[in-house]
Amino acid sequence: MPASLARLSVPPTARRSLNRCNLPTEALGSFAFQLTPCALSLDGVLPLHQPLFDRLDTLDSAPERTCVFRTYMNAHFMLDDAPALGLSENVRLDRSRMDYLRLLRGWLFDSEGREGAILKAWVESRFGLLTRYHRGPLGAEDSAGRSGFEQEVSAGLYSTAGLEAQVDLLYSWTQYELARRLHGRTHLQLYRGCSDPRALREMHALDDGRRVVELNNLSSFSANAERADEFGDRVFSCATPMPKILAFSGLMPGLLQGENEYLVIGGIAAITIEY
């Protein structure tokens, strides 16, 4: 494989110059990252929440770790105490209820809804990968599509309990759990169904038949090809770097009802069209 292809990354128009993790956007969004991923960490998360991970280290049971994580999230972000956040219990819409679990459930129900917009904007902020598709292609910063997207995100984040910080910790816990449950693995073979070709930007064709594409900054994949077939007339597979997984339905059994669904952070990737 030519070195120039390995260095291929998302174009400058699809990334920010700054992000909030340990790798620049050009590196984490590159084809080279898919081939040889490394751990991604978000600024300030582990130093602030180290006691949580120290406690998780002592537990061998995944359900027990889930219980400890949820209890910690409720306590740290005061998710069960709206008045402590300065929010009235008498308002028509209690924005404090828009927490990380509601975000995930909203995404699993409709990734093109408000919750999906918030999560895609979170990826922009933390990893520097811009949203390329939300209900349709998003244009430049001054385009109507981009303006509408940003307005939807702002409305969704208004008066919430540190929602983006909740997702920071969710991502870090997901990475912790993947390392515990799948020790030594670097990739997962995942599948995605796609109907709109505009959501997938092809950049190169490899000799082995795979296609190098630019994925949207956040997409749903499945561990099951038949399940992926329900969401599009074209199904492709991808060796997905585990550091690119934001969350997955098996993370909290009984709370997230997706069928083997994974939320995957984007960038350049080689895919195989299954059918």
Side-chain angles (χ1 to χ4, degrees), residues 109-180:
F109 178 74
D110 178 13
S111 62
E112 301 300 317
R114 173 172 288 184
E115 291 86 354
I118 292 171
L119 285 169
K120 290 170 185 174
W122 176 85
V123 173
E124 291 189 352
S125 171
R126 271 47 179 178
F127 297 98
L129 296 166
L130 295 180
T131 306
R132 305 282 263 169
Y133 191 93
H134 185 73
R135 301 198 192 101
L138 298 187
E141 291 185 6
D142 58 351
S143 68
R146 167 61 63 172
S147 177
F149 171 76
E150 292 177 350
Q151 289 176 13
E152 184 173 16
V153 171
S154 297
L157 289 174
Y158 177 71
S159 292
T160 57
L163 193 53
E164 291 177 306
Q166 292 179 44
V167 183
D168 289 347
L169 189 50
L170 171 69
Y171 170 78
S172 299
W173 179 55
T174 296
Q175 292 301 305
Y176 176 91
E177 282 295 312
L178 287 171
R180 289 284 301 266

Side-chain angles (χ1 to χ4, degrees), residues 189 191 225 235-238 272-275:
Q189 191 72 14
Y191 302 86
V235 173
F236 63 85
S237 62
C238 178
T272 299
I273 303 297
E274 301 292 337
Y275 50 86

Side-chain angles (χ1 to χ4, degrees), residues 60-72:
D60 292 329
S61 165
E64 281 187 90
R65 295 195 298 270
T66 297
C67 183
V68 167
F69 175 78
R70 292 192 64 208
T71 300
Y72 182 92

Side-chain angles (χ1 to χ4, degrees), residues 53-223:
F53 293 97
D54 290 342
R55 171 65 175 142
L56 295 175
D57 283 342
T58 67
L59 302 173
D60 292 329
S61 165
E64 281 187 90
R65 295 195 298 270
T66 297
C67 183
V68 167
F69 175 78
R70 292 192 64 208
T71 300
Y72 182 92
M73 290 288 280
N74 287 344
H76 184 84
F77 294 101
M78 296 181 286
L79 299 182
D80 295 327
D81 192 354
L85 294 169
L87 302 173
S88 171
E89 295 182 315
N90 300 318
V91 295
R92 182 178 61 85
L93 178 62
D94 182 3
R95 301 298 301 167
S96 70
R97 307 313 300 172
M98 179 63 86
D99 59 18
Y100 70 104
L101 282 175
R102 181 166 294 186
L103 273 186
L104 292 178
R105 290 168 180 151
W107 174 279
L108 294 174
F109 178 74
D110 178 13
S111 62
E112 301 300 317
R114 173 172 288 184
E115 291 86 354
I118 292 171
L119 285 169
K120 290 170 185 174
W122 176 85
V123 173
E124 291 189 352
S125 171
R126 271 47 179 178
F127 297 98
L129 296 166
L130 295 180
T131 306
R132 305 282 263 169
Y133 191 93
H134 185 73
R135 301 198 192 101
L138 298 187
E141 291 185 6
D142 58 351
S143 68
R146 167 61 63 172
S147 177
F149 171 76
E150 292 177 350
Q151 289 176 13
E152 184 173 16
V153 171
S154 297
L157 289 174
Y158 177 71
S159 292
T160 57
L163 193 53
E164 291 177 306
Q166 292 179 44
V167 183
D168 289 347
L169 189 50
L170 171 69
Y171 170 78
S172 299
W173 179 55
T174 296
Q175 292 301 305
Y176 176 91
E177 282 295 312
L178 287 171
R180 289 284 301 266
R181 301 184 192 188
L182 303 171
H183 181 69
R185 296 278 296 275
T186 60
H187 294 77
L188 292 178
Q189 191 72 14
L190 300 178
Y191 302 86
R192 176 167 170 77
C194 182
S195 294
D196 191 338
R198 298 175 299 173
L200 201 62
R201 298 166 184 256
E202 186 169 339
M203 307 182 76
H204 193 84
L206 298 177
D207 293 340
D208 60 7
R210 290 182 299 162
R211 305 178 186 183
V212 178
V213 301
E214 179 194 347
L215 299 174
N216 198 20
N217 71 338
L218 190 65
S219 305
S220 281
F221 281 74
S222 177

